[in-house]
Amino acid sequence: MMEICRSWIGHAGPRTRWRHLLTVVPLVGALTLLAGCGLFRDDPEQHEVGPVSTMPSGSSAHTLVVDGQERDFRLYQPANLTRSTAVPLVVMLHGALGTGAQAENSYGWNTEADREGFVVAYPDGVSRSWAVSPDCCGPPARDGVDDVAFIQQLVSTVADRLAVDRNRIYATGISNGGMLAYRLACDTKLFAAIGPVAATQLGPCPSPAPTSVIHIHGTADQTVPFGGGPGKRDNDGTGRNPVKIDGPPTPDLLGQWRTTGGCGAPATTASGPVSTSVATCPGGRAVELVTVDDAGHQWPGAAGPEPAAQRLLGLDPPSTALDATETIWRFFDAHPRTGG
């Protein structure tokens, strides 16, 4: 979406720009993850994409070859990290229509990494989306792209080149990216915890390993409904951009992960529009659901899109009731893998 935004802003008159955006958006992907995504901001840092040979401090761009296909990701490493000390790794997964660069610009993870001392990876989905089930989402699902293999190789590559604490590897993401976080928890044992936002779980998940989960969701989300079932972008998994969203009600989904983890009954607290339901589990794990009343399909605490785009495209403004990035990191930090 950053490339679309650059051409839209820099090379067209006002009326042409709106027509161009309205023409392109339906073709790029099927889910809207533009609220709070920094739609009209350029990525200020430019890096040549090449093989991963070094992992410099700051923000850098890298390419892997997975299943014969080049796959890109960005990496942020705070300058003040001591390279001899193992640090956590967070994989931040953009939503449909997004990119790694957009996610890096939008959700504040670099600032959090500077403050708390960890590394963040921002992978790019093929055609700006992720395959999380046979019917979702977009061209990667249609073409059978193995995004789980990509993220596994990304984690392995970064961990081989940096001092990464293998017990403190985490995945978070919004919308389609949050769905991939669930898919990673279903299909791998890499992650100590996941943090989906405005997402659901799609496809089979027959025997997942117990995993800590924090899930953040707005109760007024119409794209990935809090109550489960299809949202307004759903096309029943048909056509060239299949999008079938048929996940369970969000509280039921978190109940499944409590059962998987052998967790106790959740305790719920409320602060204004934010309700938090936490269940403690064996091995120091936890399953937590954070709901934001009347919030839509967005990343709470992110910078929102320009008002004109918000109105024209029907985007949900990010809630200011919660800083999702800080909330997720606090949960991650408290829940490393313990082996219990």
Side-chain angles (χ1 to χ4, degrees):
M1 183 53 70
M2 291 298 104
E3 288 79 1
I4 293 171
C5 294
R6 290 191 190 101
S7 64
W8 179 74
I9 292 171
H11 304 289
R15 293 188 180 181
T16 303
R17 290 171 187 167
W18 288 118
R19 292 195 200 101
H20 176 64
L21 186 60
L22 287 170
T23 300
V24 170
V25 166
L27 299 178
V28 176
L31 295 176
T32 299
L33 172 84
L34 301 180
C37 79
L39 174 60
F40 301 108
R41 284 180 290 169
D42 287 336
D43 180 0
E45 301 202 35
Q46 300 293 324
H47 299 273
E48 182 179 354
V49 175
V52 176
S53 57
T54 61
M55 295 287 187
S57 295
S59 183
S60 57
H62 306 275
T63 296
L64 298 172
V65 177
V66 183
D67 293 335
Q69 183 176 24
E70 288 191 351
R71 301 296 304 268
D72 298 332
F73 71 96
R74 299 185 67 81
L75 188 80
Y76 183 75
Q77 183 180 190
N80 59 359
L81 290 186
T82 301
R83 299 204 175 203
S84 60
T85 301
V87 298
L89 168 64
V90 174
V91 179
M92 170 66 216
L93 302 161
H94 66 75
L97 297 182
T99 66
Q102 168 265 313
E104 184 176 17
N105 285 336
S106 298
Y107 305 123
W109 277 103
N110 289 1
T111 300
E112 194 72 19
D114 284 337
R115 183 166 52 239
E116 300 294 338
F118 58 90
V119 175
V120 192
Y122 301 94
D124 281 343
V126 174
S127 299
R128 304 176 186 269
S129 52
W130 305 104
V132 297
S133 78
D135 303 311
C136 195
C137 294
R142 180 195 68 209
D143 298 338
V145 173
D146 191 343
D147 281 318
V148 171
F150 169 41
I151 302 303
Q152 286 178 304
Q153 187 166 329
L154 182 159
V155 169
S156 176
T157 299
V158 174
D160 284 346
R161 288 160 174 77
L162 296 179
V164 169
D165 185 341
R166 307 278 179 145
N167 290 318
R168 303 185 73 193
I169 299 174
Y170 308 101
T172 183
I174 181 166
S175 190
N176 186 204
M179 297 172 194
L180 181 57
Y182 272 121
R183 176 55 39 211
L184 291 165
C186 287
D187 293 354
T188 79
K189 297 181 180 179
L190 269 179
F191 298 94
I194 61 169
V197 176
T200 190
Q201 182 176 299
L202 301 177
C205 188
S207 55
T211 304
S212 290
V213 179
I214 179 171
H215 182 123
I216 299 176
H217 215 117
T219 61
D221 191 332
Q222 296 181 46
T223 300
V224 183
F226 181 77
K232 65 181 182 180
R233 309 289 173 182
D234 185 276
N235 63 13
D236 202 34
T238 60
R240 292 186 55 79
N241 291 299
V243 180
K244 185 175 183 178
I245 300 173
D246 57 354
T250 305
D252 293 354
L253 174 56
L254 274 293
Q256 294 174 19
W257 283 96
R258 289 197 302 269
T259 299
T260 294
C263 310
T268 301
T269 59
S271 177
V274 179
S275 296
T276 304
S277 177
V278 183
T280 58
C281 318
R285 293 182 296 271
V287 173
E288 181 170 330
L289 172 60
V290 181
T291 59
V292 185
D293 288 346
D294 299 322
H297 192 67
Q298 40 77 55
W299 183 282
E306 290 186 355
Q310 185 176 306
R311 290 192 300 271
L312 183 67
L313 300 176
L315 308 181
D316 296 326
S319 172
T320 60
L322 180 74
D323 183 333
T325 302
E326 181 182 6
T327 300
I328 292 168
W329 170 250
R330 200 163 55 237
F331 181 89
F332 285 173
D333 193 36
H335 297 96
R337 188 186 310 282
T338 62

